[in-house]
Amino acid sequence: MSRSIVRQSKFRHVFGQPVKTEQSYDDIRVSKVTWDSSFCAVNPKFLAVIVESSGGGAFLVLPISKMGRLDKNHPLVTGHAGPVLDIDWCPHNDNILASGSEDCTAMVWQFPDQMGTRPISEPIVVLEGHSKRVGIITWHPTTRNILLTAGSDNLIIIWNVGTGEPLITMDDHPDLIYNVCWNRIGSLFCTTCKDRRLRVCDPRKREVVAERMAPHEGIRPMRAIFTRDGNLFTTGFTRMSQRELGLWDPTNFEEPISLLELDTSNGVLLPYYDPDTNMVYLCGKGDSSIRYFEITDEPPYVHYLSTFSSKEPQRGMGFMPKRGVDVSKCEIARLYKLHDKKCEPIAMTVPRKSDLFQDDLYPDTAGPEPALEPEEWLEGRDEDPILQSMREGYVPPKSRELKVAKKNVLDSRPTTRRSMSSCDGSTNLPPQLIERLLEEVQNLKATVLSQEKRICDLENKLSKYTNGTA
């Protein structure tokens, strides 16, 4: 008698759910530029979307709490002379964003917590080193102020944005670079290229340490990302134009760990990876669905979980860092789907009956503190990301100024904060939460005082009219 065995996984029943209509971001004119980037970047404070604009390139930055219809007077970020192609929030400072454009420059911007009403056109750093458009922007995962840019001149440049100077330039790619992804500790990065090669590069040695010719046999664009175990997850096309995904060991590129055909469609599959759950979300441009998979050590290694489907095709997608999800609702990921004229958050949730904190769903995750300074990384040091507990939910860190000079005048490195995942029995509130509550109390007091003054003024005016003295 045979009995079917169902694979045990706490993520088998993950489901996607769009937010209510009033919690979307409406009236956003998403860019129509023909470039395979996500057009959207999000962190626990802000949502940024590349938008249509005349006379140059622009993108929009909204506080994450500013849902609903977009105010017509909301300012755009308009510093680029050509269309913006890629944007990325700094993982170590939620107020810092980098952008790349067809004007051959990359720019770094700092936004205040309270956005003004005037267009923003002055970046804090302009990075000029590419001779053609800059289509790829990605920050180093563990080191402060290290930014990687890749352009259509086939160059990869690694910058120290604290000084505004290039540190490393690599010209190992003979053709257009499709994507770049750092590994978890930032010691290596992988690239996919129009020459159909998948490469693993060591930037400090300025060399390609591993490469594989045609991991997917089709000639359409590929994507590759590092998993937390150091393997490479790739998406591409077969010779018959079927979409395909693969898992590779970069120390042995001869045979894939896993290779799986999906469907026939034209859209490039953009992978979004969560190292805490080892899940990957596949979003195809022009698709109306999001597929998600779990990567494990058991055959077939890449396990299909489910598909979130909707009616509208997606123009792009943003992926919230883990520290920005709602732990009270067992939300393990949140994606921001771009439509033609709006952005719709989609929550990926594990169904649980208990209202308690779910330790098994939320291991310590990468926090906003950098583990290294640029000089330490250049000298060859590698460190794991500094982790933070998800138990207290998300607490916004204080904004830190990014100072730019020819000599780096950044603040001294803060003391490393250890992870607080275990319950220590303490009932003290975090200092950031106390500070935020005090600030909210002060704001409410100011609001009440202003309203009381307004009421007095109106009563006086009303009494004048009723007494016939007006």
Side-chain angles (χ1 to χ4, degrees):
M1 174 179 166
S2 65
R3 179 181 296 175
S4 62
I5 299 173
V6 177
R7 187 180 68 90
Q8 293 298 311
S9 170
K10 54 196 163 200
F11 304 117
R12 271 180 56 214
H13 302 292
V14 169
F15 66 96
Q17 188 166 17
V19 299
K20 296 176 181 176
T21 306
E22 60 269 18
Q23 294 175 317
S24 293
Y25 305 85
D26 296 319
D27 279 355
I28 297 174
R29 295 186 307 145
V30 178
S31 173
K32 292 183 171 63
V33 67
T34 54
W35 186 255
D36 283 328
S37 74
S38 57
F39 290 174
C40 179
V42 63
N43 69 22
K45 276 190 179 181
F46 295 105
L47 168 71
V49 180
I50 302 174
V51 294
E52 282 284 286
S53 71
S54 56
F59 59 94
L60 175 77
V61 174
L62 283 170
I64 206 76
S65 58
K66 197 176 177 70
M67 302 162 190
R69 192 175 294 276
L70 178 68
D71 186 348
K72 289 183 179 178
N73 296 321
H74 191 85
L76 295 179
V77 185
T78 58
H80 283 289
V84 178
L85 301 177
D86 198 15
I87 49 178
D88 193 26
W89 288 105
C90 176
H92 308 125
N93 188 330
D94 286 341
N95 296 70
I96 300 287
L97 177 140
S99 59
S101 167
E102 281 195 8
D103 65 7
C104 307
T105 67
M107 295 182 180
V108 181
W109 310 82
Q110 182 155 16
F111 301 99
D113 288 342
Q114 302 297 325
M115 300 288 288
T117 57
R118 294 185 176 180
I120 300 164
S121 58
E122 293 296 326
I124 51 173
V125 196
V126 178
L127 306 174
E128 297 177 309
H130 290 280
S131 59
K132 292 185 180 179
R133 63 184 178 180
V134 181
I136 297 170
I137 299 278
T138 180
W139 292 90
H140 194 282
T142 61
T143 305
R144 187 196 303 274
N145 295 340
I146 296 294
L147 179 71
L148 182 151
T149 63
S152 296
D153 53 4
N154 309 335
L155 284 183
I156 291 176
I157 304 178
I158 296 174
W159 309 81
N160 179 351
V161 299
T163 61
E165 294 173 338
L167 302 176
I168 297 166
T169 300
M170 296 183 67
D171 59 357
D172 302 276
H173 296 77
D175 213 329
L176 179 68
I177 300 164
Y178 287 140
N179 92 299
V180 180
C181 179
W182 293 96
N183 67 356
R184 186 164 170 79
I185 61 174
S187 59
L188 304 169
F189 61 79
C190 65
T191 67
T192 56
C193 181
K194 197 174 181 180
D195 69 355
R196 300 175 63 206
R197 289 182 183 270
L198 168 64
R199 294 175 173 85
V200 178
C201 304
D202 186 330
R204 289 168 296 191
K205 292 181 180 176
R206 294 170 173 79
E207 66 181 22
V208 177
V209 295
E211 66 178 329
R212 159 83 193 195
M213 178 64 188
H216 300 284
E217 293 183 347
I219 59 173
R220 310 259 349 256
M222 295 183 293
R223 289 290 184 275
I225 54 172
F226 268 106
T227 68
R228 69 184 182 195
D229 304 320
N231 291 327
L232 289 166
F233 181 90
T234 61
T235 65
F237 293 81
T238 66
R239 193 174 294 163
M240 304 299 292
S241 293
Q242 277 197 305
R243 293 196 292 196
E244 189 175 50
L245 57 85
L247 188 66
W248 306 81
D249 179 357
T251 61
N252 180 18
F253 262 146
E254 292 301 316
E255 291 293 329
I257 300 171
S258 178
L259 203 60
L260 179 64
E261 288 186 9
L262 291 180
D263 59 7
T264 304
S265 182
N266 292 327
V268 176
L269 285 170
L270 305 179
Y272 297 91
Y273 177 66
D274 179 4
D276 299 335
T277 59
N278 223 10
M279 285 176 62
V280 63
Y281 302 84
L282 297 184
C283 310
K285 276 203 165 183
D287 289 5
S288 56
S289 62
I290 301 169
R291 293 181 180 87
Y292 38 105
F293 299 79
E294 184 180 5
I295 301 172
T296 70
D297 297 329
E298 307 166 3
Y301 305 107
V302 180
H303 303 272
Y304 170 74
L305 292 174
S306 188
T307 300
F308 166 81
S309 297
S310 58
K311 293 180 181 177
E312 297 292 325
Q314 54 228 15
R315 297 285 307 281
M317 193 72 68
F319 191 68
M320 174 68 81
K322 182 55 74 71
R323 55 196 173 88
V325 301
D326 189 346
V327 297
S328 60
K329 295 179 180 175
C330 294
E331 182 183 71
I332 59 167
R334 194 185 312 152
L335 296 103
Y336 286 71
K337 174 181 174 178
L338 295 185
H339 300 246
D340 280 338
K341 290 190 176 179
K342 78 170 184 177
C343 177
E344 178 185 44
I346 298 166
M348 295 292 178
T349 306
V350 177
R352 292 280 170 98
K353 291 181 179 178
S354 172
D355 292 331
L356 300 175
F357 178 75
Q358 307 292 314
D359 292 274
D360 61 325
L361 296 183
Y362 300 107
D364 294 349
T365 192
E369 293 296 336
L372 293 171
E373 296 297 322
E375 298 78 18
E376 296 173 315
W377 181 75
L378 277 175
E379 288 168 1
R381 278 189 60 187
D382 291 316
E383 293 285 346
D384 287 326
I386 296 175
L387 304 180
Q388 71 174 35
S389 171
M390 296 286 289
R391 183 173 290 275
E392 298 298 332
Y394 170 66
V395 179
K398 282 201 267 185
S399 300
R400 293 189 299 272
E401 285 286 324
L402 177 68
K403 301 176 183 178
V404 180
K406 283 300 175 185
K407 290 185 179 178
N408 199 345
V409 289
L410 291 164
D411 297 334
S412 58
R413 182 179 170 193
T415 307
T416 299
R417 294 186 302 183
R418 296 297 172 196
S419 167
M420 300 290 289
S421 62
S422 59
C423 275
D424 55 4
S426 165
T427 57
N428 293 332
L429 288 172
Q432 299 98 325
L433 184 56
I434 294 172
E435 192 171 318
R436 193 175 68 173
L437 290 173
L438 287 171
E439 185 181 344
E440 194 170 341
V441 168
Q442 294 296 331
N443 291 339
L444 287 171
K445 282 182 178 178
T447 304
V448 169
L449 286 172
S450 66
Q451 295 298 333
E452 284 179 349
K453 184 176 181 302
R454 175 70 174 153
I455 289 169
C456 288
D457 291 344
L458 290 172
E459 285 178 342
N460 290 337
K461 193 175 286 189
L462 189 61
S463 64
K464 284 182 182 179
Y465 277 108
T466 54
N467 295 333
T469 58

